[in-house]
Amino acid sequence: MSLGDVLFGAFALPFMGRALLVLLVLSIVAGIVGVLVNLRGLEFISDGLTHAVFPGLAIGLAVGGSAGLVPGAAIAALIGAVLLTLFVRAGVTSDAAVAVVLTATFSVGVIVVSRSDDYAGELEALLFGRVLTIAPEDVAPLVVVSLAAAVAVGATLKQQVFRAFDPHGSRAAGDRGLALDLVLNASIALVVVAGASTVGTLLVLALLIVPGASARLATVHLWRLFPIAAAVGAVSAWLGLAVGFGASVGAGIDLPAGSTVVAVFVVVYALMLGYRLVRDRMPRSPAAPAASRPRARAGAAGER
Amino acid sequence: MSESGPVLVLRDAAFRHPGGAGVAGLRLSVAPGEAVAVIGPNGAGKSTLLRGILGLVPLVGGSMRVGGSEHAPDGMVGFLPQSSDLDPDFPISLEQVVMQGRYRRLGLLRWPGRRDREVVRRALETVGLADRARLRFGELSGGQRQRGMLARALASEPVLLLLDEPFNGLDQANRDALIETIRTLKRRGVAIVVSTHDLELARQVCDTVLLLNGGQVGCGPVDDVLTLENVQECFEGVGVEIDEHTVVVPGHEGH
């Protein structure tokens, strides 16, 4: 089996094609939303939402079979997003709020799943996803959920960035912080919903966090963060699926697809980190005056 | 709004944070090109007054008209908050920060166009930072950041500009630059309300003084209002900055 077969040919198989389509859309959207997660420092809230989705998935599965997964997860995620937004706003420290929501919902989910006959199998699917067994009729809902998050964030992008940079200034300029927070948290929740059904509730966090963090390492230019994060997500998703396929078909090593994808995400982040460390150590070009070379100094953190 | 009509009128206005502190009994009229210094000790309600004009603190008594209407139209009022603790690592350039001043006019879906970039460029020229436009905001000095925030307030093309303690922590060069900017804006017809406890600044650039301590202690032309008696009443026993020297004004009971 050639490298071309692994990177391109494999996706002619229907189940691989579906996996690629869903993961590409999801990773690009997660990358864009993830930049805001990074700028706002919402990583822990995102973690809370990944757990809040779990009982929704479990109840959805119990009520409607696999067709109930996305609706169940969406309802749970949106409730979780609203609760977390209000908790944080009410002054409950966000870490405590998230921890309460996180553990409470996860335990509810496990209780629901434990009532079913195939406890172990279903729990594994919910936690680690089923990216290679996405049914044809599940593709459209997953793409729609992802695109809904993209539209919500895209429509408020300027204001979201403004609020991330200067919440008081944004409010003084007439923006409504609560509305913006609800839109952002709901978008995170939608990404988590789509991700939970593909790479699983435990691994979806990587799709949200890694591309945004990688983009921060790659550039200090605000509006380049979003395309870079989207590209990191798309390339990692594609390579991750290809590596998993190549390993199991070509080399007979059976790698779980979702975990392989996430591992590639982390490898890409490590490469970015290495690039950044090398670039920061390189001496600044003596020909360029300091004032016109902001990028060269961007690596050094903090005030001067 | 007629050209000559006042930009801001307060009639016995009172602003109060929900369940918190407030200011009351405010009577003030500000004309285009007029600068008003709001002077009072810490906790006198200076910020509350500015945030009230901006609509961030509720009006709980009297009346307020901005530009002849009950609610300030979008982008009409520019605001420079007290030097804020913004993340110096945030990946954003000075011109991108200034462009945020256009967002109110652009609304949700529209993105900045040529005219917006032109307004941003002129705002940066006004505060003397045109050559720093592409620097990352966090790389600027404290004074330059403050001037950058002023440029952001100007980019909304306000007819009324609110400055909250703009001179706190500024060195002499940035202070001079800011005073020059305020004079330029007055010539262009922008009405300015600036809160400060710097009496010298009031004398340098302001036409009117409003003395504040929980309520209005006095209001009128600078030379009439900034009298020793008025200042004593306003700053009972607190330190006052005059030419960077702190003078403690004795309270009445101290005589």
Side-chain angles (χ1 to χ4, degrees), chain A residues 201-298:
Chain A
T201 49
L202 291 184
L203 297 177
V204 62
L205 203 57
L207 271 58
L208 261 175
I209 308 292
V210 172
S214 301
R216 279 296 292 272
L217 291 172
T219 185
V220 293
H221 292 267
L222 179 61
W223 300 116
R224 288 183 201 164
L225 290 171
F226 296 94
I228 290 176
V232 166
V235 170
S236 306
W238 170 49
L239 287 180
L241 282 175
V243 167
F245 183 82
S248 58
V249 175
I253 307 165
D254 195 12
L255 295 178
S259 312
T260 310
V261 167
V262 168
V264 171
F265 268 75
V266 175
V267 168
V268 170
Y269 177 79
L271 290 176
M272 291 283 204
L273 191 62
Y275 158 75
R276 177 61 174 266
L277 290 175
V278 169
R279 196 187 64 179
D280 286 352
R281 276 167 196 279
M282 288 207 293
R284 208 184 306 158
S285 158
S292 66
R293 298 272 302 161
R295 293 175 66 188
R297 305 197 303 176

Side-chain angles (χ1 to χ4, degrees), chain B residues 8-20:
Chain B
L8 170 70
V9 179
L10 298 176
R11 289 202 184 90
D12 292 312
F15 299 105
R16 188 168 300 281
H17 292 279

